[in-house]
Amino acid sequence: MLAAVWQTVCSLGNVPKYMLPSPMDVINAFADDWQLMADHAKVTLTETFIGLFSGIIIGFIMAVIMDTCSVIKKMIYPLIVISQTIPTVAIAPLLVIWLGYQMLPKIILIILVVFFPITISLLEGFSAVDKDTVNLMRSMGANRIQIFRYVKLPNSLGFFFSSLRISVSYAVVSAVVAEWIGGTQGLGCYMTRVRKSFASDKMFAVIILISVISLLLIWLTTVLQRVCMPWDKSNKNTRGF
Amino acid sequence: MAALEVKGVTFSYDNVNPVLKDINLKLNDGELVCLLGVSGGGKTTLFNIISGLYKPQEGKILLNGEDITGKTGKISYMLQKDMLLPYRTVLDNVALPLIIKGVKKKEARRIAGECFEQFGIDGTQKKYPSELSGGMRQRAALLRTYLFSAEVALLDEPFSALDTLTKSEMHEWYLNVMSNIKLSTIFITHDVDEAILLSDRIYLLGNKTGTISDEIIINEPKPRSKDFNLTEQFLNYKREIIKRIRS
């Protein structure tokens, strides 16, 4: 429907192609540049996955440390919150200056963006456990590690997955932003090039590609959640987006 | 020798007003003793002390003569809420106390699985707790309690969250199961009928004083029939208990 209106406006209104390309132009752009875009997408996806994965691990470790020791939590928590008030677009160029044009600054940026929601949601999940359940486990003689493994960890999975859905889309966007600012490969870099050459049809094509990648990843998260939490009937009917 | 002995236990949360004062009670082997008293009378606190979660300011808890004051992991404890973990299957929930004790997962599952039929929950092994009715969940919770320690169990109002019909069904089931296994049990309730129906002895816990004010022996053979609560003896016990509570 939207595409039909869009196509009609473009055909009738005599809009120049560099201002607003028609859906057909975008499809053609896809066809022409498919191979190139796929190569760039591969780089972006690699960065996203490495960044996301490291971000999750760091976020997890932070959450566990902060949950175990309240003094450390009081020390680190404000710093983490402050770190999130710095705009991504401000950190990205600095990272490029410090770390070069390779993959590393992009991965670091993704980690910075991703670990925050993961840490916060896991912390919340850990502290949301039922006090009586913990007492029952203690009365059974369970130690801290056992309580963590059998109560706290599975209890926070729901929290974890909702933050993961957010993190996944942030990760893709951050990767693109970082490539945009400095790099030789990746969808963000491709985007800068087509923008500079006023190839709006390709610009639209790459925007759509990025959205599709994000949506696919979010959907994948939902599938993963269903596999990991088979007891949770409430998420059976929800979709990832 | 008594299976469990509570000797002179005094406890307060703020070191000023004692919730429990000089509590003495005895649980013999295979006996079911009820702790009867109004809500908020310190019954649950006493259980937390016996199970080792709290340390009393004074007094001792002895299990078969061994001092277990402040030690967890010795006595099984079941609360009003079933507290089955929603993310574990019923079998894995029930096997959890064994796993915590260090039994291998496979072995724990086997031991737990063997008891399902006896506890009337056969067929629920692979289900999640959310798929079970309240009564079935309590049965599973009781099996978990039993598997944790076959010696002494503390049951804190285990049936009070259930509706009346389910509750009387559970009483029947409970008496039936308990006639086959020997489990020394202390049972908290504020329901006089439940106390008379299930127990060998009843301790009355005064709510203001925080002491055990009286002891009543229910001298009726076990297992009792489900119509026991309609008999004249039953009513006599009930009159006696209510009289003593009010005095």
Side-chain angles (χ1 to χ4, degrees):
Chain A
M1 179 70 184
L2 184 71
V5 175
W6 179 8
Q7 180 69 51
T8 323
V9 170
C10 290
S11 316
L12 296 177
N14 203 13
V15 186
K17 201 175 156 190
Y18 62 86
M19 295 270 284
L20 183 66
S22 75
M24 276 316 288
D25 293 335
V26 175
I27 292 170
N28 285 335
F30 257 124
D32 290 346
D33 254 8
W34 177 246
Q35 192 52 50
L36 191 59
M37 268 192 240
D39 286 344
H40 283 298
K42 234 180 264 168
V43 177
T44 307
L45 273 176
T46 314
E47 290 161 2
T48 306
F49 275 116
I50 297 176
L52 196 60
F53 199 65
S54 326
I56 291 170
I57 291 175
I58 293 172
F60 180 79
I61 294 171
M62 294 274 264
V64 172
I65 292 173
M66 277 157 64
D67 183 61
T68 336
C69 180
S70 60
V71 177
I72 295 182
K73 182 178 174 181
K74 276 185 196 138
M75 275 161 50
I76 300 182
Y77 202 93
L79 288 179
I80 292 182
V81 175
I82 290 170
S83 79
Q84 293 307 304
T85 59
I86 307 168
T88 326
V89 280
I91 312 174
L94 282 175
L95 287 173
V96 171
I97 293 169
W98 293 335
L99 303 166
Y101 290 96
Q102 298 310 306
M103 262 196 191
L104 192 62
K106 285 114 194 171
I107 291 170
I108 302 278
L109 188 74
I110 297 171
I111 292 175
L112 283 176
V113 171
V114 161
F115 93 99
F116 180 73
I118 301 277
T119 309
I120 299 299
S121 68
L122 278 176
L123 254 185
E124 206 166 308
F126 292 159
S127 56
V129 294
D130 182 39
K131 294 270 175 310
D132 287 336
T133 309
V134 174
N135 267 345
L136 180 75
M137 295 291 289
R138 279 181 53 212
S139 85
M140 288 178 184
N143 56 34
R144 286 183 81 142
I145 296 170
Q146 284 172 324
I147 291 178
F148 182 78
R149 179 170 162 200
Y150 296 122
V151 182
K152 287 191 170 182
L153 194 58
N155 205 58
S156 55
L157 269 183
F159 292 83
F160 170 72
F161 276 107
S162 19
S163 71
L164 187 61
R165 269 198 287 277
I166 301 171
S167 299
V168 161
S169 49
Y170 280 7
V172 178
V173 173
S174 310
V176 170
V177 168
E179 288 160 357
W180 193 324
I181 283 162
T184 50
Q185 278 180 306
L187 287 174
C189 182
Y190 175 85
M191 227 175 182
T192 337
R193 285 182 198 157
V194 294
R195 183 173 56 91
K196 280 183 180 154
S197 53
F198 291 97
S200 299
D201 51 345
K202 289 177 182 169
M203 188 73 172
F204 270 79
V206 73
I207 290 172
I208 291 170
L209 183 62
I210 290 167
S211 296
V212 168
I213 289 175
S214 297
L215 289 178
L216 273 177
L217 286 177
I218 293 173
W219 173 77
L220 211 67
T221 315
T222 313
V223 172
L224 196 67
Q225 177 171 17
R226 258 178 242 167
V227 174
C228 291
M229 303 173 66
W231 61 86
D232 189 4
K233 296 284 175 287
S234 63
N235 69 17
K236 231 176 196 170
N237 299 318
T238 53
R239 299 215 186 99
F241 34 90
Chain B
M1 185 171 50
L4 182 85
E5 248 183 298
V6 176
K7 275 189 171 171
V9 162
T10 298
F11 182 83
S12 84
Y13 287 99
D14 54 5
N15 283 321
V16 185
N17 306 309
V19 190
L20 298 168
K21 230 162 47 191
D22 194 27
I23 300 280
N24 288 291
L25 60 86
K26 233 188 229 176
L27 175 69
N28 296 315
D29 235 1
E31 201 181 26
L32 195 152
V33 168
C34 247
L35 213 56
L36 186 65
V38 291
S39 304
K43 301 189 296 286
T44 302
T45 310
L46 181 58
F47 268 22
N48 284 337
I49 292 170
I50 298 176
S51 65
L53 291 173
Y54 297 166
K55 237 185 147 141
Q57 272 86 7
E58 279 170 49
K60 268 194 239 171
I61 313 292
L62 302 176
L63 177 67
N64 296 322
E66 183 200 349
D67 188 350
I68 56 155
T69 320
K71 279 188 200 156
T72 57
K74 299 279 182 188
I75 287 173
S76 29
Y77 192 178
M78 171 177 168
L79 290 102
Q80 183 183 345
K81 291 186 282 176
D82 56 72
M83 297 214 277
L84 297 169
L85 303 172
Y87 36 79
R88 293 177 85 88
T89 59
V90 176
L91 181 63
D92 283 345
N93 258 295
V94 167
L96 190 59
L98 297 172
I99 292 171
I100 286 176
K101 275 187 191 171
V103 179
K104 288 250 158 47
K105 198 172 176 182
K106 211 172 154 193
E107 178 71 2
R109 278 185 174 163
R110 189 188 62 76
I111 298 170
E114 282 173 359
C115 301
F116 268 69
E117 207 181 334
Q118 192 180 13
F119 276 71
I121 47 172
D122 204 23
T124 63
Q125 283 90 330
K126 294 222 164 78
K127 290 189 176 166
Y128 286 102
S130 59
E131 298 170 277
L132 263 56
S133 68
M136 293 301 258
R137 282 213 294 271
Q138 285 304 92
R139 290 180 194 203
L142 191 74
L143 174 54
R144 179 182 60 186
T145 313
Y146 169 66
L147 282 174
F148 169 64
S149 150
E151 283 188 279
V152 175
L154 308 175
L155 309 185
D156 189 352
E157 306 198 3
F159 307 137
S160 67
L162 303 170
D163 61 89
T164 324
L165 286 175
T166 317
K167 197 169 165 178
S168 75
E169 194 184 299
M170 288 295 284
H171 286 153
E172 202 182 320
W173 165 84
Y174 182 78
L175 290 170
N176 194 10
V177 169
M178 285 302 139
S179 63
N180 295 320
I181 57 175
K182 274 241 171 293
L183 184 65
S184 319
T185 311
I186 308 183
F187 195 104
I188 286 182
T189 182
H190 53 243
D191 181 343
V192 181
D193 289 26
E194 186 173 71
I196 302 170
L197 183 66
L198 300 178
S199 49
D200 298 302
R201 275 186 300 132
I202 298 173
Y203 285 111
L204 296 183
L205 192 72
N207 67 323
K208 289 207 183 81
T209 49
T211 53
I212 286 177
S213 55
D214 223 328
E215 181 184 345
I216 294 131
I217 295 166
I218 309 289
N219 219 341
E220 299 293 328
K222 279 177 139 182
R224 289 162 194 160
S225 85
K226 60 176 171 173
D227 297 329
F228 175 56
N229 57 0
L230 301 173
T231 61
E232 192 57 35
Q233 298 107 294
F234 184 91
L235 284 176
N236 285 336
Y237 282 120
K238 194 168 175 177
R239 280 189 204 107
E240 181 63 28
I241 290 170
I242 291 173
K243 196 178 89 191
R244 292 204 204 177
I245 289 175
R246 286 185 183 155
S247 67

